[in-house]
Each structure stands twice: as C-alpha cells, then as structure tokens.
Amino acid sequence: MIIVARDLSPADTAGMVREPAMGFITEIGTRTSHTAIMARALEIPAVVGAADALLSIRTGDMVIVDGLRGEVIIHPDGARLDDARARSARHLAFARGLLSARDQPSVTACGTPVALKANVELPAEAILAVDHGAEGIGLYRTEFLYIDRTTQPDEQEQYELYRAVLEAVAPKPVTLRTFDIGGDKFASSFQLPAEMNPALGLRAVRLALKQPDVFLTQLRAMVRASAHGDLRIMVPMVSTVHEMREVRKLLERAMNEVDRRGQAHAREIPLGMMVEVPAAAVMADVFAREAQFFSLGTNDLVQYALAIDRASRTLASQASPLDPSILRLIANVVKAGVDYDIPVSICGAMASDPLAAMLLVGLGLRELSMEAAAIPEIKEALRRVTVAECEEAAVEALACDSAENVEEVVARYFAARLYDLLTGSSEDPLVITRTSSHPPRL
Ligand code: PEP
Ligand code: MG
C-alpha cells in the first residue's frame, strides 16, 4: 500500500510505525519539512512536494515511489517496474553493506575523528540510533510528545520517557531539546494566537518563557532523568541572550525543586542552544558566553537567513544550505566555538547530505547529528576524504557567489568518489545530487 495525501502530520507519519505503508507521496512538503524528517527517520520511502499527486493518482493505480531520485512513476510499464525492483534490491543490499561497518570508528581517511550522532523524534528511534552506530543522540525533538493529543504530558510521563531514552543509549550522551512547539509543529493543548507568520511568531523558547509553568514541568522531568545517564539540555530558536539567561534561571529553579523533593539528579547539566536564527549566528561570540554548547539548526537557519519558508515547494530549489551566506554564518559560529572553547555541532538536515557533510568538516565541524539511517553512509563518506581536502573545498566554497557555484565546487571535489553514496547503490549512474531540493518529477 502506498499512501497519497495532500499532507501528513508528523503524527500520521509516526502512526506508520504500527501500520507500515510501503511508501507515501504528499503534495506538500520539502526535504526539511517535518513529514520528510519523520519519513527518513522511519526509513519509509517517500516523495514529498509532488504537486497534483491526488489529481493524477487513483486508488488501485500501480505507482513507483523513488525516494532516492525524488520521482513518482504512475502506471509504469513492465520494464520500468523490473528496473525499479532491481534498483530497490540493489539499494537495500548496499544499505545493509554500509550498516555492517557500524562498529567501526567514524574517522576521515587521515584519521581525524568526526562524531556522528542521531536525531530522534520518537522513543523507539533511540534503539535505531544505537543499531546504526550513533555515538549518542545529538537532538531529541521533545515537541513530538506534545503533538496529536489534547492534554499535555505531565512531569512523570516525561521523566519516564526521557529516562528510557537515556538508558537505551547509555553510556552515550543524549541532548534533549526543550519543546519547539509552534511554526509548523502544532500542538492543540497550547493556546497559540492566530498569527500571519507562525514561523516568526510565538514558538519554541519564546512560548516556553511565556508559559513558565509548562516549561518548568518539562525542565523538572529532564533534571530527574539526568540521574540516569549523560544528559544535556538544548534550547531551540534562541535569538537574544536574555532568553538564555531566563532559561538558565528556570533550570536552576527546576534543579532546586527536584532537590527539595529529595529526588536524584546530575550535579551539572550542560545547557546549550540551537543556532538557527541568523541573529544568534552573527552574535555567536556573545552567545558563547551564555551557552555551554552550540548546535547548528540549518533547516531554520536557511529559512530565516534566505527568507524562504522551509515548507515552500515552489522555492525549495532556492532554499539551499549551500548558499554562501549560510556557509559564512556557519563559519562564524565555528570560530566562536574555537575562540571560547565550546563544542559546536550541527543537527540540521544538511549534515546527512554526503557532499554537504564534507564541506561541514572543511568548515571545522567535528560532530554531526542526523537521522539514524544516514549515519552509515556519512561514516563511509568520511573514510574516503581527508580533512585537508575538505578544508580546501571549504575555502573555495566560502569565496563563491552563489549556491550553484558551491554545488559545483563540492561536486568537483567529492562527487566522483561518493557517487555510490549519492545514488544509494554502487551500480546506478549518478543522476542527482541530493543537496538541492528541486521539486520532484511526477
Ligand atoms: C533545524 O532547524 O535545523 C533543526 C534541526 O530543528 P527542526 O528541524 O526541528 O526545526
Ligand atoms: Mg529548527
């Protein structure tokens, strides 16, 4: 069964854990929209942003969903069907082959370690993360706990869930992000004002600070969970130092409250922030004195820096993380991390694109977090390149005047060597780079 829909909520997609579809097609969405993030996390073949899919496809039609190429083929003839089946089998064999290296260290050809962690939305994914060789969880999107229900999760429910995730990956670290509700992540249990631009409205840390009781409930649950593993807390959508200072005060209050009840918790809980608002990237040296670590959220950074809605299908091809403006923002954040000696990682979808990942290493990143399924291929890509050539490519990329030119640079340096990882099979010709999210062909 293949599901064809105008859109699927993250909760609809998550429901496919219980009733798996062979694939899905949506008319709305881009590579960084939450439906696509969930599809990749759950390893469900999907093509999103396929305009007119509902008009073109009828119940009972035979359809090929090619998530690697971003193609939907309706009524394929026998030859196309055979070809698709053969490609699918080659891809599965290839992915299994990559997975067999999951216990190998993640290092470049010159021996430099690059930590690969997993992004997680659902508790069940913690096991997937370990299975794919993740060195921890770099981003746990806790907002999915609040979505698709009418009441908010209480402290005990959250504590048990965070604890289970920590125990599943222990002794590896887990970075829990406080809820990023708002924007395209609606939660009916929050009374959010109707806004013209929800992505620019009351969301994430802004909402948390407006509803301190709800936020404190989450913080206390996290503080209690810290007794069971290596836990870090990360704040989404920070745009002013005031926000970080307020969150720190609330975290201290949550720790005191847990203490007073006589409940255990870690003495120190690192508090870091997402860098996903351009203001924070530009002021990274100032924020480096407020946060204990940075994680680059390029999905939103691209949206806000280029002023392109991350859900816009029409503009998807222009919303490139390889735009030189984004690379310069990243370079600025990495520099602040070095100058102030705080760790910098990235958890945006850019990290799971093999070509972009090489550039990120060249820009100085040594920790990448991505959907678990992408870890084996990025690990393999890293083994084929040296830091020196990544740095050389990054210097050239930073001097480019457009995303297209940056794409040419990374393709020239790395595409031939990574062609099998870019196509998802060692035998298929290189037809696309997945860096640019051009609308799919139908
Ligand atoms: C990001 O913005 O890059 C990110 C990782 O957060 P999310 O995709 O959940 O907004
Ligand atoms: Mg974000």
Side-chain angles (χ1 to χ4, degrees):
M1 179 182 63
I2 286 169
I3 294 174
V4 185
R6 172 125 184 95
D7 195 12
L8 290 172
S9 71
D12 289 334
T13 321
M16 291 185 201
V17 178
R18 292 184 297 276
E19 286 175 59
M22 282 194 70
F24 65 75
I25 303 164
T26 61
E27 294 189 330
I28 291 192
T30 59
R31 174 165 157 77
T32 61
S33 62
H34 289 97
T35 313
I37 288 172
M38 291 291 279
R40 281 202 301 277
L42 301 172
E43 298 185 62
I44 301 172
V47 171
V48 302
D52 296 337
L54 285 170
L55 274 180
S56 316
I57 304 170
R58 301 256 151 268
T59 301
D61 282 352
M62 173 70 84
V63 170
I64 296 173
V65 180
D66 187 336
L68 287 171
R69 291 185 176 168
E71 265 180 11
V72 175
I73 299 163
I74 310 165
H75 299 311
D77 59 20
R80 279 209 116 145
L81 213 48
D82 289 347
D83 177 57
R85 288 202 172 107
R87 286 187 56 233
S88 170
R90 285 201 296 276
H91 172 64
L92 289 175
F94 181 68
R96 262 197 306 276
L98 288 178
L99 197 55
S100 63
R102 69 168 179 204
D103 297 325
Q104 304 283 323
S106 170
V107 285
T108 58
C110 55
T112 305
V114 178
L116 300 180
K117 293 186 178 171
N119 291 353
V120 165
E121 289 74 39
L122 304 169
E125 288 176 66
I127 306 292
L128 269 180
V130 176
D131 283 352
H132 284 79
E135 292 174 48
I137 293 177
L139 166 64
Y140 189 98
R141 290 181 164 103
T142 63
E143 57 272 12
F144 283 88
L145 244 173
Y146 296 75
I147 289 175
D148 205 31
R149 57 193 285 172
T150 48
T151 56
Q152 290 173 2
D154 64 17
E155 182 186 316
Q156 186 64 18
E157 178 184 344
Q158 292 191 57
Y159 159 67
E160 284 170 14
L161 189 139
Y162 303 151
R163 175 181 176 168
V165 171
L166 275 155
E167 287 177 344
V169 300
K172 295 173 179 139
V174 174
T175 302
L176 297 178
R177 181 173 74 181
T178 60
F179 59 76
D180 183 9
I181 306 275
D184 64 341
K185 289 176 271 196
F186 311 106
S188 49
S189 62
F190 282 86
Q191 302 302 318
L192 298 180
E195 292 173 302
M196 289 288 280
N197 287 309
L200 304 179
L202 186 63
R203 61 173 288 198
V205 68
R206 300 169 186 172
L207 178 63
L209 293 176
K210 270 253 182 306
Q211 304 204 7
D213 290 343
V214 179
F215 193 35
L216 274 166
T217 302
Q218 179 172 51
L219 290 174
R220 280 192 303 268
M222 290 180 174
V223 168
R224 287 170 60 196
S226 71
H228 305 281
D230 183 351
L231 179 147
R232 294 125 197 229
I233 297 178
M234 177 155 78
V235 190
M237 292 287 301
V238 175
S239 56
T240 66
V241 288
H242 175 75
E243 288 165 340
M244 273 312 278
R245 290 176 189 153
E246 289 301 301
V247 173
R248 189 169 292 283
K249 275 191 224 158
L250 287 172
L251 178 58
E252 276 161 19
R253 187 168 143 194
M255 287 172 97
N256 287 336
E257 287 173 4
V258 169
D259 260 346
R260 272 204 300 278
R261 293 181 194 154
Q263 290 166 323
H265 64 83
R267 279 292 113 216
E268 294 284 329
I269 304 179
L271 179 67
M273 60 181 261
M274 298 279 296
V275 180
E276 51 184 345
V277 178
V282 170
M283 299 279 282
D285 56 330
V286 175
F287 280 96
R289 286 164 254 175
E290 306 290 335
Q292 284 156 287
F293 60 90
F294 287 150
S295 185
L296 284 151
T298 44
N299 304 341
D300 278 311
L301 194 59
V302 169
Q303 152 163 278
Y304 297 123
L306 300 181
I308 296 177
D309 186 338
R310 67 192 262 184
S312 168
R313 183 185 160 275
T314 335
L315 296 174
S317 61
Q318 289 165 52
S320 171
L322 296 185
D323 192 280
S325 62
I326 306 298
L327 303 185
R328 290 184 189 203
L329 288 172
I330 294 174
N332 195 49
V333 177
V334 171
K335 180 174 182 317
V338 172
D339 289 350
Y340 289 88
D341 198 22
I342 66 166
V344 181
S345 64
I346 171 167
C347 57
M350 181 181 186
S352 61
D353 181 294
L355 293 176
M358 301 306 103
L359 208 48
L360 291 167
V361 170
L363 288 168
L365 283 148
R366 295 292 177 269
E367 183 180 318
L368 315 176
S369 189
M370 63 200 70
E371 68 270 15
I375 290 176
E377 69 183 41
I378 298 297
K379 190 189 276 187
E380 176 57 29
L382 288 167
R383 301 178 83 82
R384 299 182 191 173
V385 302
T386 64
V387 169
E389 53 194 357
C390 293
E391 285 174 349
E392 217 180 287
V395 169
E396 268 192 55
L398 283 168
C400 285
D401 60 5
S402 69
E404 289 74 24
N405 288 349
V406 176
E407 281 191 25
E408 276 165 30
V409 170
V410 285
R412 174 157 43 79
Y413 272 86
F414 306 113
R417 255 176 299 167
L418 306 182
Y419 79 96
D420 51 340
L421 301 166
L422 296 169
T423 56
S425 155
S426 54
E427 290 160 49
D428 293 328
L430 182 63
V431 285
I432 48 158
T433 70
R434 278 176 291 153
T435 304
S436 47
S437 37
H438 298 293
R441 290 199 292 274
L442 190 66

